[in-house]
Amino acid sequence: MDVLADVLRGLHLRTKVYGRLEMRAPWGMRVEKPGHALFYAVSRGSCLLDVDGARIPLSGGDFVFLLGRSTHVLRDAPETQPLPVAEIYAIRGGRCGGLVHHGGAGAPTTLVSGCFLFEGTSLDPLIASLPPLIHVKGDGGIAARWLESTLQFAASEMEAELPGYETVASRLSEVLFVQALRTHVASLPDAQASWLRALTDAQIGVVLQRLHEHPEKPWTVESLAHLASMSRSVFAARFKAVVGEGPLTYVTRWRMHKATQLMAGDAASTAAIAQAVGYETHSAFVKAFKRHLGETPGAFRRRLKEREGDAVPAAGQR
């Protein structure tokens, strides 16, 4: 099993490309706390990103992922005063997609922007391991060249506006996101605990793979240590150092996360789901579920039904 792919499927990742932004200096764009993940890809030119007190220069081929917890500003130069993002998209009636022109008559910069929406994030190991910002630079290397070619393709789709262009651009954006995750993992210090880094660990990665394949098995620290070919004590210490939490804590959290996925996409009974994620009794499952999610499985399912049909936010609603 590809553990990262398994987790991404469970998040029900939805992507919306807001458009291809053709900016000419002077230009600036302010996005108030959006509350969802955003991305910006620079296919031409350069700009500055101001977020959380930091100023980050961006240039052609760069890709930026933001978790969306902070207000941020994109602009051509430090002295340029930004406009709210809703005003920039007002020329298209607030609609997403296609080509948007903004700014003066100076140096050009081309951006592709959009959002990522994740469902069921409260117990998800990927979301918990993501930093507020991932910056993938397009300044050399095989990965960077591949990223830039994907970026140029996405920008071309947004400009052409041929039938199905929004679907193509959205799928390309998901590819960019996975590539950003790979680049982020490669940049992590060896000593830093991270679920993403654990996926590449020769011994712990095998354990995570088996856990994700079979959450219903009666896992113990001993049985997991056996999978890693390690002693119980060495494995427990190694797992916590790499993943950031103890093995049985992870097992329980993953089972609860898997249960929420099954409830979202299956009509199975709560008792059947309890067995599918390793609980022998319905009552034990309900107790664990409420402890981790703060509500009973029945209340969780009712809330899911109420949320069905929620729309992806428009650019001006960030």
Side-chain angles (χ1 to χ4, degrees), residues 76-94:
D76 68 302
E79 64 273 12
T80 302
Q81 293 300 309
L83 290 176
V85 64
E87 291 188 25
I88 294 173
Y89 278 88
I91 61 174
R92 287 182 62 88

Side-chain angles (χ1 to χ4, degrees), residues 59-62 136-148 179 183:
S59 56
D62 284 12
V136 181
K137 296 183 179 181
D139 54 359
I142 294 175
R145 291 197 297 272
W146 181 88
L147 185 66
E148 185 173 5
Q179 185 61 33
T183 304

Side-chain angles (χ1 to χ4, degrees), residues 6-55:
D6 181 44
V7 170
L8 287 172
R9 280 193 297 271
L11 282 171
H12 301 291
L13 174 63
R14 290 186 291 166
T15 308
K16 179 68 176 182
V17 177
Y18 290 139
R20 170 172 167 166
L21 307 176
E22 291 291 349
M23 310 297 222
R24 283 191 171 272
W27 64 271
M29 179 173 71
R30 173 182 291 276
V31 180
E32 300 294 336
K33 297 179 181 179
H36 51 269
L38 299 175
F39 70 87
Y40 299 98
V42 185
S43 65
R44 178 180 63 159
S46 61
C47 62
L48 300 173
L49 169 64
D50 295 331
V51 59
D52 292 332
R55 174 160 289 165

Side-chain angles (χ1 to χ4, degrees), residues 6-305:
D6 181 44
V7 170
L8 287 172
R9 280 193 297 271
L11 282 171
H12 301 291
L13 174 63
R14 290 186 291 166
T15 308
K16 179 68 176 182
V17 177
Y18 290 139
R20 170 172 167 166
L21 307 176
E22 291 291 349
M23 310 297 222
R24 283 191 171 272
W27 64 271
M29 179 173 71
R30 173 182 291 276
V31 180
E32 300 294 336
K33 297 179 181 179
H36 51 269
L38 299 175
F39 70 87
Y40 299 98
V42 185
S43 65
R44 178 180 63 159
S46 61
C47 62
L48 300 173
L49 169 64
D50 295 331
V51 59
D52 292 332
R55 174 160 289 165
I56 304 167
L58 304 178
S59 56
D62 284 12
F63 177 87
V64 177
F65 169 86
L66 298 168
L67 270 182
R69 296 170 180 157
S70 303
T71 296
H72 57 276
V73 172
L74 288 157
R75 52 184 147 198
D76 68 302
E79 64 273 12
T80 302
Q81 293 300 309
L83 290 176
V85 64
E87 291 188 25
I88 294 173
Y89 278 88
I91 61 174
R92 287 182 62 88
R95 292 188 302 110
C96 297
L99 194 58
V100 178
H101 291 273
H102 175 68
T109 298
T110 302
L111 303 169
V112 175
S113 71
C115 74
F116 294 114
L117 291 182
F118 307 102
E119 296 179 5
T121 61
S122 61
L123 298 174
D124 186 83
L126 170 60
I127 299 302
S129 68
L130 287 178
L133 180 147
I134 298 176
H135 179 196
V136 181
K137 296 183 179 181
D139 54 359
I142 294 175
R145 291 197 297 272
W146 181 88
L147 185 66
E148 185 173 5
S149 63
T150 305
L151 177 55
Q152 293 294 343
F153 187 18
S156 298
E157 282 290 322
M158 298 308 297
E159 180 180 26
E161 296 192 47
L162 295 173
Y165 77 94
E166 288 188 349
T167 298
V168 172
S170 293
R171 295 297 177 268
L172 290 172
S173 300
E174 293 172 14
V175 172
L176 291 171
F177 176 58
V178 173
Q179 185 61 33
L181 293 179
R182 291 173 175 172
T183 304
H184 172 62
V185 171
S187 69
L188 289 173
D190 291 338
Q192 181 176 332
S194 168
W195 179 83
L196 281 167
R197 176 170 285 285
L199 297 183
T200 64
D201 186 277
Q203 293 169 297
I204 303 303
V206 171
V207 172
L208 292 178
Q209 179 180 344
R210 292 297 299 277
L211 279 174
H212 282 244
E213 287 176 344
H214 299 289
E216 77 285 355
K217 288 193 173 183
W219 296 111
T220 63
V221 176
E222 288 82 1
S223 63
L224 295 173
H226 179 73
L227 289 176
S229 301
M230 302 168 74
S231 71
R232 183 186 187 281
S233 59
V234 171
F235 167 75
R238 174 67 178 163
F239 190 98
K240 188 169 185 178
V242 175
V243 179
E245 62 184 342
L248 295 187
T249 300
Y250 183 88
V251 169
T252 301
R253 188 157 62 87
W254 178 249
R255 284 172 168 169
M256 293 300 102
H257 182 62
K258 191 69 178 179
T260 63
Q261 294 177 18
L262 293 173
M263 290 179 189
D266 200 322
S269 67
T270 302
I273 291 174
Q275 289 188 341
V277 296
Y279 285 85
E280 294 183 357
T281 66
H282 175 270
S283 60
F285 170 69
V286 171
K287 184 177 179 180
F289 192 95
K290 188 172 183 179
R291 183 171 66 250
H292 283 80
L293 284 101
E295 60 185 338
T296 64
F300 179 82
R301 272 184 152 159
R302 288 191 294 272
R303 187 163 54 83
L304 281 181
K305 290 182 179 180

